[in-house]
Amino acid sequence: MKNQSIVTTFIVLGLSSDTHLQFLLFVLFLSIYVIALLGNLLIIAAVLSSSKLQRPMYFFLFHLAVVDIVGTSTIIPQMLGNLVAVRKSISFPRCIAQLYFFTWSLGAEMVLFTVMAYDRYVAVCHPLRYSIMMNKTMCMGLSALVMVIAVINTSVHTGLVLRLTFCGPNIINHFFCEIPSLLVLSCTSVRINEVMSFTTDIFLAMGDFLLIGVSYCFIVRAILRIQTTEGRRKAFSTCSSHLIVVSLYYSTVIYTYIRPASSYSFNKDKIIATLYSLVTPTLNPIVYTLRNKDVRQAIRKMLPHLGK
Protein backbone atom coordinates (compact mmCIF):
# COMPACT_ATOMS: atom_id res chain seq x y z
CA MET A 1 0.00 0.00 0.00
CA LYS A 2 3.04 2.29 -0.10
CA ASN A 3 2.48 5.38 -2.24
CA GLN A 4 5.20 5.59 -4.91
CA SER A 5 3.94 8.84 -6.42
CA ILE A 6 6.46 11.37 -7.70
CA VAL A 7 3.71 13.90 -8.41
CA THR A 8 3.32 16.28 -5.49
CA THR A 9 0.76 18.67 -7.00
CA PHE A 10 -2.10 18.35 -9.47
CA ILE A 11 -3.37 21.11 -11.76
CA VAL A 12 -7.19 21.18 -11.79
CA LEU A 13 -8.62 22.48 -15.09
CA GLY A 14 -12.12 23.02 -13.72
CA LEU A 15 -15.24 23.50 -15.84
CA SER A 16 -13.92 26.23 -18.11
CA SER A 17 -10.79 28.25 -18.88
CA ASP A 18 -12.79 31.27 -20.11
CA THR A 19 -12.19 34.18 -17.69
CA HIS A 20 -15.67 35.71 -18.04
CA LEU A 21 -17.36 32.31 -17.72
CA GLN A 22 -15.28 31.55 -14.63
CA PHE A 23 -16.76 34.62 -12.91
CA LEU A 24 -20.29 33.45 -13.72
CA LEU A 25 -19.43 29.94 -12.53
CA PHE A 26 -18.03 31.37 -9.29
CA VAL A 27 -21.29 33.22 -8.60
CA LEU A 28 -23.39 30.19 -9.61
CA PHE A 29 -21.56 27.64 -7.47
CA LEU A 30 -21.20 30.00 -4.52
CA SER A 31 -25.00 30.40 -4.65
CA ILE A 32 -25.47 26.62 -4.87
CA TYR A 33 -23.15 26.09 -1.91
CA VAL A 34 -24.90 28.69 0.24
CA ILE A 35 -28.34 27.23 -0.58
CA ALA A 36 -27.18 23.65 0.08
CA LEU A 37 -25.38 24.60 3.29
CA LEU A 38 -28.19 26.72 4.73
CA GLY A 39 -30.90 24.26 3.70
CA ASN A 40 -29.16 21.29 5.28
CA LEU A 41 -28.16 23.23 8.40
CA LEU A 42 -31.80 24.30 8.85
CA ILE A 43 -32.87 20.65 8.67
CA ILE A 44 -30.25 19.61 11.24
CA ALA A 45 -31.26 22.43 13.61
CA ALA A 46 -34.99 21.72 13.15
CA VAL A 47 -34.62 18.00 13.89
CA LEU A 48 -32.49 18.69 16.98
CA SER A 49 -34.83 21.36 18.36
CA SER A 50 -38.31 19.95 17.67
CA SER A 51 -39.93 17.12 19.63
CA LYS A 52 -42.33 16.57 16.71
CA LEU A 53 -39.40 15.57 14.50
CA GLN A 54 -38.09 12.84 16.79
CA ARG A 55 -39.27 10.12 14.42
CA PRO A 56 -37.38 7.64 12.21
CA MET A 57 -38.09 9.55 8.99
CA TYR A 58 -36.45 12.71 10.33
CA PHE A 59 -33.67 10.72 12.01
CA PHE A 60 -32.53 9.54 8.57
CA LEU A 61 -33.11 12.96 6.99
CA PHE A 62 -30.82 14.39 9.66
CA HIS A 63 -28.11 11.97 8.53
CA LEU A 64 -28.76 12.83 4.87
CA ALA A 65 -28.28 16.54 5.66
CA VAL A 66 -24.95 15.81 7.40
CA VAL A 67 -23.75 13.69 4.45
CA ASP A 68 -24.74 16.42 1.96
CA ILE A 69 -22.84 19.07 3.93
CA VAL A 70 -19.73 16.88 4.00
CA GLY A 71 -20.01 16.16 0.26
CA THR A 72 -20.50 19.76 -0.89
CA SER A 73 -17.95 21.17 1.57
CA THR A 74 -15.39 18.68 0.29
CA ILE A 75 -15.72 19.96 -3.29
CA ILE A 76 -17.09 23.49 -3.61
CA PRO A 77 -14.69 25.59 -1.44
CA GLN A 78 -11.66 24.18 -3.31
CA MET A 79 -13.52 24.63 -6.60
CA LEU A 80 -14.33 28.28 -5.81
CA GLY A 81 -10.71 28.91 -4.85
CA ASN A 82 -9.50 27.49 -8.16
CA LEU A 83 -11.94 29.69 -10.10
CA VAL A 84 -10.28 32.85 -8.76
CA ALA A 85 -6.70 31.55 -8.47
CA VAL A 86 -4.06 32.07 -11.14
CA ARG A 87 -2.52 28.66 -10.49
CA LYS A 88 -5.36 26.15 -10.14
CA SER A 89 -3.57 23.50 -8.13
CA ILE A 90 -4.17 21.03 -5.33
CA SER A 91 -1.52 19.12 -3.42
CA PHE A 92 -1.41 15.32 -3.61
CA PRO A 93 -2.43 14.81 0.06
CA ARG A 94 -5.36 17.27 -0.26
CA CYS A 95 -6.42 15.57 -3.48
CA ILE A 96 -6.48 12.18 -1.76
CA ALA A 97 -8.37 13.65 1.22
CA GLN A 98 -10.94 15.15 -1.16
CA LEU A 99 -11.26 11.80 -2.93
CA TYR A 100 -11.75 9.98 0.40
CA PHE A 101 -14.44 12.26 1.84
CA PHE A 102 -16.34 12.67 -1.42
CA THR A 103 -16.38 8.90 -2.03
CA TRP A 104 -17.55 8.46 1.57
CA SER A 105 -20.45 10.89 1.08
CA LEU A 106 -21.33 9.26 -2.25
CA GLY A 107 -21.57 5.79 -0.70
CA ALA A 108 -23.38 7.01 2.42
CA GLU A 109 -25.97 8.89 0.37
CA MET A 110 -26.73 5.87 -1.83
CA VAL A 111 -27.34 3.60 1.16
CA LEU A 112 -29.30 6.32 3.00
CA PHE A 113 -31.68 6.71 0.05
CA THR A 114 -32.37 2.96 0.29
CA VAL A 115 -32.93 3.08 4.05
CA MET A 116 -35.26 6.06 3.66
CA ALA A 117 -37.24 4.23 0.96
CA TYR A 118 -37.60 1.25 3.32
CA ASP A 119 -38.77 3.59 6.09
CA ARG A 120 -41.46 5.02 3.77
CA TYR A 121 -42.46 1.51 2.69
CA VAL A 122 -43.03 0.46 6.32
CA ALA A 123 -44.91 3.70 7.09
CA VAL A 124 -47.27 3.38 4.10
CA CYS A 125 -47.69 -0.39 3.83
CA HIS A 126 -47.51 -1.38 7.51
CA PRO A 127 -48.69 1.71 9.44
CA LEU A 128 -49.95 -0.24 12.46
CA ARG A 129 -46.61 -2.01 12.89
CA TYR A 130 -44.46 1.03 12.06
CA SER A 131 -43.42 1.85 15.62
CA ILE A 132 -42.42 -1.78 16.20
CA MET A 133 -40.59 -2.33 12.89
CA MET A 134 -38.81 1.04 13.00
CA ASN A 135 -37.96 1.17 16.69
CA LYS A 136 -34.92 2.96 18.10
CA THR A 137 -32.71 -0.12 17.93
CA MET A 138 -33.58 -0.71 14.28
CA CYS A 139 -32.91 2.94 13.38
CA MET A 140 -29.54 2.94 15.14
CA GLY A 141 -28.65 -0.35 13.46
CA LEU A 142 -29.54 0.95 10.00
CA SER A 143 -27.59 4.16 10.66
CA ALA A 144 -24.53 2.15 11.72
CA LEU A 145 -24.89 -0.04 8.62
CA VAL A 146 -24.85 3.08 6.41
CA MET A 147 -21.66 4.36 8.03
CA VAL A 148 -19.89 0.98 7.90
CA ILE A 149 -20.67 0.45 4.21
CA ALA A 150 -19.61 4.02 3.36
CA VAL A 151 -16.31 3.74 5.26
CA ILE A 152 -15.45 0.34 3.76
CA ASN A 153 -16.31 1.57 0.26
CA THR A 154 -14.21 4.74 0.44
CA SER A 155 -11.30 3.01 2.23
CA VAL A 156 -11.04 0.34 -0.46
CA HIS A 157 -11.17 2.81 -3.36
CA THR A 158 -8.80 5.32 -1.76
CA GLY A 159 -6.39 2.56 -0.81
CA LEU A 160 -6.36 1.27 -4.38
CA VAL A 161 -5.64 4.78 -5.70
CA LEU A 162 -2.73 5.11 -3.24
CA ARG A 163 -1.19 1.98 -4.77
CA LEU A 164 -0.91 3.68 -8.15
CA THR A 165 2.14 5.52 -9.42
CA PHE A 166 1.63 9.08 -10.71
CA CYS A 167 4.65 10.20 -12.69
CA GLY A 168 3.04 12.74 -15.01
CA PRO A 169 1.11 14.34 -16.55
CA ASN A 170 -0.42 15.94 -13.47
CA ILE A 171 -3.35 17.82 -15.09
CA ILE A 172 -6.78 16.77 -13.78
CA ASN A 173 -9.43 17.46 -16.44
CA HIS A 174 -12.15 17.86 -13.84
CA PHE A 175 -13.23 20.31 -11.13
CA PHE A 176 -12.27 18.02 -8.22
CA CYS A 177 -10.32 14.85 -7.43
CA GLU A 178 -12.56 11.93 -8.32
CA ILE A 179 -11.66 8.30 -9.04
CA PRO A 180 -12.13 8.46 -12.87
CA SER A 181 -10.13 11.66 -13.22
CA LEU A 182 -7.19 10.17 -11.30
CA LEU A 183 -7.18 6.77 -13.00
CA VAL A 184 -6.41 8.29 -16.40
CA LEU A 185 -3.27 9.93 -14.93
CA SER A 186 -1.79 6.74 -13.51
CA CYS A 187 1.49 5.44 -14.94
CA THR A 188 0.64 1.92 -13.74
CA SER A 189 -2.20 -0.48 -14.47
CA VAL A 190 -5.60 0.59 -13.15
CA ARG A 191 -7.31 -2.72 -13.92
CA ILE A 192 -8.00 -3.56 -10.26
CA ASN A 193 -9.40 -0.05 -9.67
CA GLU A 194 -11.73 -0.39 -12.65
CA VAL A 195 -12.92 -3.82 -11.54
CA MET A 196 -13.67 -2.50 -8.04
CA SER A 197 -15.49 0.57 -9.43
CA PHE A 198 -17.58 -1.69 -11.69
CA THR A 199 -18.31 -4.10 -8.82
CA THR A 200 -19.30 -1.26 -6.49
CA ASP A 201 -21.54 0.20 -9.18
CA ILE A 202 -23.30 -3.13 -9.68
CA PHE A 203 -23.85 -4.01 -6.02
CA LEU A 204 -24.00 -0.63 -4.29
CA ALA A 205 -25.50 1.71 -6.88
CA MET A 206 -27.64 -0.63 -9.00
CA GLY A 207 -28.50 -2.84 -6.02
CA ASP A 208 -29.68 0.12 -3.94
CA PHE A 209 -31.60 1.58 -6.85
CA LEU A 210 -33.37 -1.77 -7.41
CA LEU A 211 -34.34 -1.98 -3.73
CA ILE A 212 -35.68 1.58 -3.86
CA GLY A 213 -37.70 0.72 -6.97
CA VAL A 214 -39.21 -2.35 -5.28
CA SER A 215 -40.07 -0.30 -2.16
CA TYR A 216 -41.84 2.35 -4.22
CA CYS A 217 -43.75 -0.28 -6.20
CA PHE A 218 -45.31 -1.47 -2.93
CA ILE A 219 -45.85 2.16 -1.85
CA VAL A 220 -47.65 3.02 -5.11
CA ARG A 221 -49.84 -0.07 -4.78
CA ALA A 222 -50.81 1.06 -1.28
CA ILE A 223 -51.49 4.61 -2.48
CA LEU A 224 -53.89 3.34 -5.15
CA ARG A 225 -56.02 1.95 -2.33
CA ILE A 226 -56.53 5.41 -0.83
CA GLN A 227 -60.18 6.31 -1.19
CA THR A 228 -59.94 10.08 -1.69
CA THR A 229 -58.57 11.68 -4.86
CA GLU A 230 -56.88 14.43 -2.85
CA GLY A 231 -55.11 11.87 -0.66
CA ARG A 232 -53.82 9.96 -3.70
CA ARG A 233 -52.70 13.19 -5.35
CA LYS A 234 -50.66 14.32 -2.33
CA ALA A 235 -49.10 10.88 -1.89
CA PHE A 236 -48.18 10.62 -5.58
CA SER A 237 -46.75 14.16 -5.54
CA THR A 238 -44.45 13.29 -2.64
CA CYS A 239 -43.37 9.93 -4.10
CA SER A 240 -42.75 11.34 -7.59
CA SER A 241 -40.52 14.16 -6.30
CA HIS A 242 -38.49 11.66 -4.26
CA LEU A 243 -38.13 9.33 -7.23
CA ILE A 244 -37.06 12.14 -9.59
CA VAL A 245 -34.19 13.17 -7.29
CA VAL A 246 -33.17 9.56 -6.61
CA SER A 247 -33.29 8.64 -10.31
CA LEU A 248 -31.22 11.69 -11.25
CA TYR A 249 -28.65 10.78 -8.59
CA TYR A 250 -28.32 7.07 -9.34
CA SER A 251 -28.39 7.32 -13.15
CA THR A 252 -25.51 9.82 -13.21
CA VAL A 253 -23.43 7.91 -10.62
CA ILE A 254 -23.92 4.59 -12.43
CA TYR A 255 -23.04 6.18 -15.78
CA THR A 256 -19.82 7.67 -14.37
CA TYR A 257 -18.43 4.72 -12.44
CA ILE A 258 -19.42 1.70 -14.53
CA ARG A 259 -17.11 2.51 -17.48
CA PRO A 260 -13.37 1.87 -17.93
CA ALA A 261 -11.02 4.86 -17.61
CA SER A 262 -10.21 4.80 -21.33
CA SER A 263 -13.81 5.67 -22.25
CA TYR A 264 -14.11 8.87 -20.18
CA SER A 265 -14.97 12.07 -22.00
CA PHE A 266 -14.36 14.67 -19.34
CA ASN A 267 -15.87 17.66 -21.13
CA LYS A 268 -19.22 15.86 -20.99
CA ASP A 269 -18.60 13.95 -17.78
CA LYS A 270 -17.82 17.11 -15.80
CA ILE A 271 -21.35 18.36 -16.49
CA ILE A 272 -22.82 15.02 -15.41
CA ALA A 273 -20.68 15.08 -12.24
CA THR A 274 -22.24 18.40 -11.20
CA LEU A 275 -25.64 16.68 -11.07
CA TYR A 276 -24.75 14.11 -8.39
CA SER A 277 -22.05 16.08 -6.58
CA LEU A 278 -23.64 19.56 -6.43
CA VAL A 279 -27.24 19.68 -7.70
CA THR A 280 -28.70 16.70 -5.80
CA PRO A 281 -27.37 17.82 -2.35
CA THR A 282 -29.00 21.21 -3.03
CA LEU A 283 -32.34 19.67 -4.04
CA ASN A 284 -32.51 17.19 -1.16
CA PRO A 285 -33.47 19.73 1.55
CA ILE A 286 -36.20 21.16 -0.70
CA VAL A 287 -37.63 17.86 -1.94
CA TYR A 288 -37.39 15.79 1.23
CA THR A 289 -38.04 18.19 4.07
CA LEU A 290 -38.61 21.88 3.40
CA ARG A 291 -41.91 20.97 1.66
CA ASN A 292 -42.91 19.11 4.82
CA LYS A 293 -45.40 20.89 7.10
CA ASP A 294 -43.84 19.66 10.37
CA VAL A 295 -40.36 20.77 9.29
CA ARG A 296 -41.60 24.23 8.24
CA GLN A 297 -43.34 24.65 11.60
CA ALA A 298 -40.18 23.62 13.45
CA ILE A 299 -38.12 26.12 11.45
CA ARG A 300 -40.65 28.92 12.14
CA LYS A 301 -40.49 28.20 15.87
CA MET A 302 -36.72 28.22 15.73
CA LEU A 303 -36.63 31.42 13.67
CA PRO A 304 -39.77 33.36 14.72
CA HIS A 305 -39.26 36.18 12.20
CA LEU A 306 -39.86 33.72 9.35
CA GLY A 307 -43.47 33.35 10.43
CA LYS A 308 -44.16 37.09 10.29
Side-chain angles (χ1 to χ4, degrees), residues 238-278:
T238 301
C239 288
S240 61
S241 59
H242 291 184
L243 280 174
I244 288 171
V245 172
V246 167
S247 298
L248 175 68
Y249 185 77
Y250 278 97
S251 60
T252 51
V253 169
I254 291 168
Y255 170 80
T256 299
Y257 284 89
I258 204 168
R259 296 169 297 149
S262 58
S263 68
Y264 294 127
S265 173
F266 286 106
N267 289 331
K268 178 176 66 174
D269 291 348
K270 282 187 284 188
I271 305 301
I272 293 173
T274 62
L275 297 178
Y276 60 81
S277 63
L278 306 178

Side-chain angles (χ1 to χ4, degrees), residues 39-48 53 55-69 109 112-113 115-117 119-120 130 139 143 216 238 242 281 283-295:
N40 285 299
L41 284 174
L42 276 175
I43 290 168
I44 291 171
V47 172
L48 291 176
L53 303 185
R55 289 181 285 175
M57 172 185 174
Y58 302 108
F59 175 78
F60 296 123
L61 287 171
F62 172 90
H63 284 73
L64 182 64
V66 172
V67 169
D68 283 338
I69 288 175
E109 187 143 350
L112 266 174
F113 277 142
V115 169
M116 289 161 61
D119 172 71
R120 291 300 83 206
Y130 181 74
C139 291
S143 174
Y216 273 97
T238 301
H242 291 184
L283 291 177
N284 282 341
I286 300 169
V287 171
Y288 276 96
T289 45
L290 296 183
R291 293 174 61 195
N292 183 288
K293 182 181 177 181
D294 290 337
V295 174

Side-chain angles (χ1 to χ4, degrees), residues 164-169 181-190 193:
L164 301 176
T165 299
F166 296 93
C167 54
S181 61
L182 289 176
L183 294 188
V184 298
L185 300 181
S186 174
C187 300
T188 49
S189 174
V190 296
N193 302 71

Side-chain angles (χ1 to χ4, degrees), residues 206-224:
M206 290 187 176
D208 283 339
F209 191 48
L210 178 62
L211 290 173
I212 291 171
V214 171
S215 296
Y216 273 97
C217 283
F218 284 109
I219 290 171
V220 168
R221 189 176 70 173
I223 290 172
L224 292 174

